Amino acid sequence: MLSDLIESELPYLRRYARAVVGSQEVGDQLVSSMIETRLLPQVAAGNTDFDRTWLYKSLDAVLAEPVEASRADDILVKMGAVERRALLLASVEAFAVEDIAVILDMTVPEVERALGDAEASLMKALATRVLIIEDEAMIAAHLSEIVASLGHTPVAFATTHADAVAKARQETFGLILADIRLADGSSGVDAVQDIRKTWNGPVIFITAYPESLLTGEGQEPVFLIPTPFRAELVKAVISQALIGRH
């Protein structure tokens, strides 16, 4: 049923919309608009033959015009909104190229070119210093390798709330990767809140339970990586977070 499909996919639809527009509030509003203006009329008409690809195609139709009109900074002009959406659908939402072609109304070769162009542009345009807040040494090392492979510089590692705040005072950085639960039982969310008192930049949270932070209620993270994570997903989310910085 469509209601079951929407319920299971809603956290991820919000994730996609938020990442495309770089805003929790606007992204959630666009998801709600999609449900009201595109899905509910289908239900009223008695249509029931829907799948995940169709759901994202409906959302992308709502996202396309605001994205093109409102995000005209240098990086996005170079990469383009279609390229960005293709990259998110492939790397974050794990759609196959063929499904992305359906969602974006493109051919498969066009999607492949868009993905290649997006990755090349991001490698050139986005470079920053990264604070990694993670208490598992192997995960921190893996994140460091991914960060470096994108041309960024991991400048500090922290394993607790207090350690993270101290490192943030000592270093300059443009991005934070933060685990939710830290070594001494403290919270990565709390650590970031304290760091944000004197720093304003993108934060990507890492958690084994992303659904718990994507309820649509209160202030929620714009960028979220579920664990265990894929390197491709981390790369895509890092790049998208940094786009929002410019």
Side-chain angles (χ1 to χ4, degrees):
M1 294 179 59
L2 179 58
S3 59
D4 293 334
L5 179 63
I6 294 174
E7 182 178 359
S8 64
E9 290 296 327
L10 188 57
Y12 308 106
L13 291 166
R14 288 184 179 131
R15 176 175 67 186
Y16 175 57
R18 292 172 184 180
V20 169
V21 301
S23 165
Q24 174 190 340
E25 181 179 3
V26 176
D28 290 356
Q29 287 174 352
L30 291 172
V31 171
S32 295
S33 175
M34 180 269 292
I35 292 172
E36 293 174 4
T37 63
R38 295 178 180 272
L39 302 194
L40 293 183
Q42 294 288 334
V43 174
N47 296 333
T48 58
D49 187 19
F50 306 117
D51 59 16
R52 184 168 179 259
T53 299
W54 180 88
L55 203 58
Y56 277 80
K57 182 177 178 64
S58 298
L59 176 57
D60 194 77
V62 175
L63 290 172
E65 184 175 349
V67 173
E68 297 285 0
S70 64
R71 301 294 302 276
D73 57 72
D74 289 343
I75 291 176
L76 297 178
V77 167
K78 291 177 181 177
M79 184 170 70
V82 171
E83 287 80 3
R84 179 172 66 256
R85 280 154 36 221
L87 185 64
L88 285 167
L89 289 168
S91 299
V92 178
E93 305 305 335
F95 278 102
V97 172
E98 293 78 8
D99 292 327
I100 296 171
V102 173
I103 292 169
L104 299 181
D105 284 326
M106 299 169 68
T107 66
V108 168
E110 286 172 339
V111 171
E112 291 173 341
R113 285 195 296 272
L115 290 171
D117 290 345
E119 292 172 357
S121 295
L122 290 172
M123 286 289 289
K124 292 179 181 179
L126 302 174
T128 192
R129 294 158 63 87
V130 183
L131 170 62
I132 298 175
I133 305 172
E134 170 59 62
D135 63 329
E136 294 287 343
M138 292 296 292
I139 295 177
H142 191 193
L143 290 172
S144 179
E145 291 176 357
I146 294 170
V147 164
S149 74
L150 290 172
H152 308 306
T153 304
V155 294
F157 300 89
T159 59
T160 67
H161 179 155
D163 189 23
V165 173
K167 294 287 176 56
R169 291 171 179 161
Q170 297 167 3
E171 300 287 350
T172 58
F173 51 92
L175 174 69
I176 294 176
L177 299 181
D179 194 357
I180 300 299
R181 298 178 181 177
L182 303 178
D184 59 353
S186 59
S187 165
V189 175
D190 292 342
V192 168
Q193 288 178 343
D194 282 347
I195 292 170
R196 281 199 178 281
K197 294 176 182 177
T198 57
W199 176 85
N200 183 26
V203 178
I204 299 172
F205 285 104
I206 302 170
T207 175
Y209 306 100
E211 296 87 351
S212 66
L213 298 179
L214 295 172
T215 64
E217 300 177 0
Q219 189 65 31
E220 297 178 347
V222 173
F223 302 105
L224 202 60
I225 294 175
T227 56
F229 54 75
R230 296 173 291 109
E232 293 79 7
L233 170 61
V234 178
K235 291 178 181 180
V237 177
I238 287 175
S239 297
Q240 189 62 33
L242 292 174
I243 287 170
R245 181 191 65 177
H246 290 264

